[in-house]
Amino acid sequence: MRYFFFVFLVMAFVFVGACNCGDDDDDTGSLIDDDTADDDTVLDDDLIGDDDDDDDDTTPDDDTTPDDDTTPDDDTTPDDDTTPDDDTTPDDDTTPDDDTTPDDDTTPSITCYEDSDGDSYGNALVSQEVPGDTCPIGWVENDTDCDDNNEFIYQLLDGYTDADYDGYGDELELTPTEVCSGAELPDGYSANNLDCDDGSIFYNPDAPDFPDDTFDQDCSGADFVRSNDNGIFVEMPDDSSDATGSGDATGTMDDPFGSLADGITAAEIAGKVVFVASSYTYNENVTTSVSLYGGYGGAPEWTRDFETNPTDVYSENETPAIIIDNAAKNGEVVVQGFNIYGITIPPDSGLSSTYSRAINVVADSSGYIADCTIGAGTGTSNAYGASNLGDMMTLLRCTVYGGAIPPLNSYAVNAVTGTTILIDNTIYDSSATNGARAVNGGSNSTILAYNNNILADSDGSHTYGIISSGTLVAVANDIQAGDSCTNAVGVYLDGATATLLNNNIQGGDNCSAQDGLWITNDTTAVIINNIISGGPDSGTSTAVSVAQTDDVTLFNNDLYEADSLLWDGTTTYNDIADVNACTWTNCTAAGDNITDDPLLGGTGGNHLQTGSPCIDTGLEVLDYHTHYYVDHDTDGELRPVGLGWDIGLDEYVTE
Ligand SMILES: [Ca+2]
Ligand SMILES: [Ca+2]
Ligand SMILES: [Ca+2]
Ligand SMILES: [Ca+2]
């Protein structure tokens, strides 16, 4: 531009030198135009318009050439962002990305929740947004796991408190609570609220309602009361009666049968139970598929008190006095309030018998035996008190004993098959010769023993409080092997699967080879919170013997009063630190066992006294087994009291 302006000035000077210098461009032939208005139309010789020295146009540069930035700006609105768009998926939106709001592109993503326990249920508290439609390993799309640290617990279910673990929830809870659960509610909760006493395992809709005790055990709303409508009545008229007596009776309260056999036959036909009066001894052998209730005072009142109306049944031969056989029926036969005895062969009678048996549950049958005294007789080779050869036998609040003088095998409780449940019984065996076993469990048996007093007391050899070759769960029992010259063992596990919790266990007294626990022959055992003594006044005693490829877990037991705390088949361990170190053969896990005098005394001689080392030094064991007697002690006290669970059957309570 300046170049053209310079040329123009030079040309103007030339023309001025020859002009007439007027204000008006009145020359018509002059070559000089010196005014500022461009009014010539001809003489401007530059021929390209305005040749004056002022660029007098006033319009802005309206050219269409690019501005001087280095990249093309081809959108129609300003690009004002200052940071790059760093997302990794294409931005297909139609508006500029100003990076101040989330990218609104349409590529899919999902929310994923952490599943740290791998049960395919996620933790609502830990989540992330993931592009695509698949969560990475360890993450899931749902957020419903109520316990993401336990693969077996993953959902909320409605439940009612079941404090006594009998399977029925507290009827006082009117609405359920949501309980973090697995496939089913955990132990301690029930889907129903039908338990009329959630503090007792003997009250629930499935419990037998024992008649005429004023208590409504089955939660029906009333006690089960004897009547001609529900029962057949038996009362022996005189001591000469036997199974054939008063056969012409009708079995009513006013006209009872004279024998158990007649009463049972009539009751099976009528679909009733049998009420039996104490009178003379029933010398009978009966088989029943209906329930039998003893302890009645007889006609006409038929009041019941089986303490003052002992109802005795004696076997007359090798078979049991009472056989429970309900294989063809549903439900369970209850026998309550009797004294039941096997045959006794007098030493000088000249008679002989192979078996003496008091009561049996036979194949495919279930029996519930309560408030009975059951005794095997004597003078035979094999004496058994109560035997289970069926599906289920429950013994509740009974006194059961084996035979004596001189059986080869004497078992107070003989668990052969099925499940045998022992609660609150006194069970003892006092054979004078070999083979006294208070509780004998065969390889096909399951024994669940809670809060029993179990004593095998023999002057012979091989005396066992409990022996099991099957499955054994024992909780809060007092188990002792008394005098025996050899092998007096509290609990003998021979190829068993056993869980022993909070028992007091004591080996024999004043003989050789006496052990609290003898474990052998591929047994798997979990042993926690037990007081285990090798036995007092010992010659050779061991608290725990382990041998032959067993699998033993030993926590929080008090091992004491023994020449050796533990023997593993080759080595004797007398330092409790070595026991806890779990370096002995067949140790699966061990720890926190102690070896101090437990200071037992008080009621039954088995309660913890002030200052006992067993107070608060146990372990909570509800993960190993649940039952009323797991978190309640022998007195029904709820565990724990104080800072922790106690060792042994008693939970110490300050008086
Ligand atoms: Ca879980
Ligand atoms: Ca309950
Ligand atoms: Ca209950
Ligand atoms: Ca009742």
Side-chain angles (χ1 to χ4, degrees), residues 594-654:
I594 62 176
T595 177
D596 292 299
D597 186 335
L599 300 182
L600 298 177
T603 305
N606 55 20
H607 283 57
L608 304 180
Q609 302 299 293
T610 303
S612 168
C614 297
I615 296 171
D616 295 345
T617 50
L619 196 65
E620 185 192 319
V621 289
L622 284 167
D623 284 346
Y624 295 91
H625 187 70
T626 50
H627 185 272
Y628 174 82
Y629 276 122
V630 174
D631 66 353
H632 294 74
D633 77 349
T634 186
D635 306 313
E637 300 278 356
L638 183 65
R639 296 183 191 269
V641 173
L643 299 176
W645 288 46
D646 294 352
I647 296 173
L649 55 76
D650 175 39
E651 185 75 13
Y652 177 77
V653 181
T654 306

Side-chain angles (χ1 to χ4, degrees), residues 203 208-218 222-225 304 336:
Y203 289 76
D209 192 351
F210 301 121
D212 298 307
D213 62 0
T214 74
F215 300 118
D216 172 30
Q217 286 94 345
D218 67 353
D223 188 19
F224 177 31
V225 176
R304 191 179 198 210
Q336 186 207 19

Side-chain angles (χ1 to χ4, degrees), residues 228-568:
N228 287 325
D229 291 334
N230 55 34
I232 298 293
F233 291 80
V234 172
E235 181 179 15
M236 190 181 297
D238 59 65
D239 64 359
S240 65
S241 292
D242 57 20
T244 61
S246 67
D248 57 347
T250 57
T252 61
M253 295 175 78
D254 293 332
D255 186 21
F257 285 114
S259 72
L260 291 174
D262 288 347
I264 290 168
T265 298
E268 288 177 335
I269 292 171
K272 297 180 178 178
V273 302
V274 180
F275 299 107
V276 183
S278 167
S279 51
Y280 302 96
T281 297
Y282 295 89
N283 295 310
E284 297 187 55
N285 292 81
V286 295
T287 298
T288 183
S289 65
V290 295
S291 294
L292 311 177
Y293 299 103
Y296 285 92
E301 302 297 333
W302 289 92
T303 55
R304 191 179 198 210
D305 182 342
F306 48 71
E307 299 293 335
T308 58
N309 300 314
T311 308
D312 300 334
V313 184
Y314 278 84
S315 171
E316 294 190 297
N317 54 46
E318 288 190 316
T319 61
I322 297 175
I323 293 174
I324 294 174
D325 181 353
N326 61 340
K329 313 267 185 182
N330 292 325
E332 195 168 45
V333 171
V334 178
V335 174
Q336 186 207 19
F338 290 90
N339 302 321
I340 309 164
Y341 303 104
I343 191 171
T344 291
I345 306 295
D348 56 355
S349 68
L351 301 174
S352 66
S353 177
T354 301
Y355 291 98
S356 176
R357 292 174 284 194
I359 185 167
N360 277 18
V361 175
V362 299
D364 301 319
S365 298
S366 297
Y368 196 118
I369 304 164
D371 302 305
C372 290
T373 296
I374 300 168
T378 61
T380 64
S381 300
N382 302 282
Y384 307 137
S387 298
N388 182 11
L389 298 93
D391 296 338
M392 179 79 76
M393 179 174 77
T394 300
L395 288 173
L396 169 65
R397 296 188 299 260
C398 291
T399 297
V400 190
Y401 58 87
I405 314 173
L408 293 176
N409 300 296
S410 177
Y411 309 151
V413 173
N414 188 24
V416 181
T417 63
T419 299
T420 299
I421 301 175
L422 309 173
I423 305 174
D424 295 351
N425 302 284
T426 296
I427 303 169
Y428 64 95
D429 203 303
S430 57
S431 168
T433 57
N434 292 345
R437 304 174 179 185
V439 177
N440 179 66
S443 59
N444 294 318
S445 73
T446 294
I447 297 172
L448 308 176
Y450 308 104
N451 197 39
N452 301 281
N453 279 306
I454 298 172
L455 171 64
D457 190 7
S458 170
D459 292 328
S461 64
H462 300 88
T463 296
Y464 307 123
I466 300 179
I467 180 171
S468 173
S469 298
T471 298
L472 169 67
V473 176
V475 182
N477 300 284
D478 191 340
I479 306 167
Q480 297 184 36
D483 297 342
S484 177
C485 287
T486 52
N487 293 356
V489 180
V491 177
Y492 191 113
L493 304 173
D494 182 6
T497 300
T499 303
L500 309 179
L501 307 175
N502 284 100
N503 301 283
N504 291 10
I505 302 170
Q506 182 179 302
D509 183 4
N510 208 21
C511 284
S512 63
Q514 56 192 61
D515 296 315
L517 270 177
W518 179 275
I519 302 169
T520 189
N521 199 18
D522 294 339
T523 287
T524 297
V526 173
I527 302 158
I528 304 175
N529 291 355
N530 302 281
I531 296 173
I532 305 173
S533 161
D537 303 323
S538 49
T540 306
S541 70
T542 306
V544 179
S545 289
V546 179
Q548 298 179 354
T549 63
D550 300 306
D551 172 352
V552 177
T553 298
L554 197 68
F555 283 116
N556 298 72
N557 302 282
D558 185 4
L559 313 181
Y560 81 113
E561 206 170 45
D563 295 326
S564 126
L565 299 180
L566 187 142
W567 180 71
D568 69 357

Side-chain angles (χ1 to χ4, degrees), residues 8 36 38 44 46 48-57:
F8 174 80
T36 58
D38 184 1
D44 185 353
D46 61 12
I48 53 169
D50 186 356
D51 56 357
D52 62 10
D53 54 356
D54 297 323
D55 181 359
D56 54 358
D57 64 8

Side-chain angles (χ1 to χ4, degrees), residues 108-125:
S109 70
I110 58 172
T111 304
C112 296
Y113 300 90
E114 188 174 36
D115 175 24
S116 59
D117 59 8
D119 60 6
S120 80
Y121 295 88
N123 180 357
L125 300 179

